[in-house]
Amino acid sequence: NAGVTQTPKFQVLKTGQSMTLQCAQDMNHEYMSWYRQDPGMGLRLIHYSVGAGITDQGEVPNGYNVSRSTTEDFPLRLLSAAPSQTSVYFCASSNRPVTGELFFGEGSRLTVL
Amino acid sequence: AQSVTQLDSQVPVFEEAPVELRCNYSSSVSVYLFWYVQYPNQGLQLLLKYLSGSTLVKGINGFEAEFNKSQTSFHLRKPSVHISDTAEYFCAVSKAGANNLFFGTGTRLTVIP
């Protein structure tokens, strides 16, 4: 009964460091996405994928890379972290992203010093 | 492009009182509308959604929302709130042919004993 699993839950980075936020789902959903949540700004879409091998940009893609080699996994990479990327990151998946339910992970809190 | 406006960032209300959380959307085409809830330190969960048909939609935990096309609104209501309803509530919109869901900035509901 895992659903959407995100790791790590907390991370502190220094400016310029790189890291990968992991996201895995066990519901065989084709659609997966990454959002960031910032106070007063709600959730903003970073990148999304409609299936293995297919990714596209959302509203705020700069500074982030993604890939989708399997249906289950959708990692988010920060190549050179900046303080502006301090945020809470949520991964979500769905079998019907437009009319159905998005299933969210519990979030990853990232602080960039 | 579609967008969502949540008019109140914070709503305090006494326990057992009614509450309305406001949401307005802008779109030139037909839309699908959602309300999600985020309890502290958790991911988002779907409360209810409007796709078509009856404009009054009932969701989980006693919440309901009414789609008003002429006023482009989708306000969330509950006749009597409980302490456990304290959370952040997000309105979201998508449309046919799109791939994604766009979220409002959120309304923090605080239920006062």
Side-chain angles (χ1 to χ4, degrees):
Chain A
N1 199 23
V4 179
T5 303
Q6 291 182 233
T7 56
K9 287 187 169 28
F10 302 93
Q11 183 72 49
V12 178
L13 289 178
K14 294 181 180 178
T15 297
Q17 287 185 317
S18 63
M19 78 155 301
T20 299
L21 298 177
Q22 302 290 346
C23 177
Q25 52 94 7
D26 61 0
M27 296 172 283
N28 202 33
H29 288 162
E30 291 294 332
Y31 176 89
M32 296 185 74
S33 57
W34 278 101
Y35 288 87
R36 60 176 289 173
Q37 182 179 25
D38 302 291
M41 303 190 76
L43 277 79
R44 293 179 292 168
L45 182 66
I46 304 172
H47 285 285
Y48 67 97
S49 169
V50 297
I54 306 169
T55 63
D56 207 345
Q57 297 181 351
E59 303 168 80
V60 289
N62 293 340
Y64 306 95
N65 282 347
V66 293
S67 59
R68 184 93 180 271
S69 56
T70 67
T71 299
E72 294 77 22
D73 301 298
F74 191 44
L76 179 71
R77 298 183 185 84
L78 286 71
L79 298 180
S80 179
S84 60
Q85 294 178 303
T86 293
S87 187
V88 181
Y89 292 85
F90 287 97
C91 180
S93 74
S94 179
N95 56 1
R96 290 179 294 141
V98 175
T99 59
E101 180 175 359
L102 279 183
F103 292 85
F104 283 83
E106 293 188 342
S108 298
R109 183 175 294 274
L110 175 66
T111 302
V112 183
L113 302 175
Chain B
Q2 64 265 30
S3 68
V4 174
T5 302
Q6 291 185 244
L7 299 167
D8 305 298
S9 60
Q10 298 188 60
V11 173
V13 63
F14 286 103
E15 191 175 13
E16 297 183 5
V19 70
E20 178 179 84
L21 306 183
R22 298 181 292 169
C23 172
N24 286 86
Y25 67 94
S26 62
S27 176
S28 58
V29 298
S30 295
V31 296
Y32 307 123
L33 294 156
F34 303 78
W35 277 98
Y36 279 78
V37 60
Q38 183 182 31
Y39 298 106
N41 300 312
Q42 294 186 25
L44 281 71
Q45 305 171 34
L46 180 65
L47 265 183
L48 49 78
K49 63 182 179 182
Y50 171 79
L51 303 181
S52 64
S54 173
T55 57
L56 184 63
V57 179
K58 294 190 182 297
I60 61 172
N61 300 339
F63 283 93
E64 62 182 32
E66 185 158 20
F67 171 65
N68 188 319
K69 187 173 182 179
S70 63
Q71 298 189 6
T72 61
S73 67
F74 190 55
H75 301 333
L76 181 71
R77 302 185 182 101
K78 186 169 183 178
S80 175
V81 295
H82 302 290
I83 296 293
S84 59
D85 293 323
T86 293
E88 189 146 20
Y89 293 79
F90 291 93
C91 186
V93 63
S94 66
K95 65 177 183 179
N99 284 320
N100 300 298
L101 206 57
F102 292 93
F103 287 85
T105 53
T107 297
R108 184 170 299 277
L109 174 64
T110 301
V111 180
I112 304 163

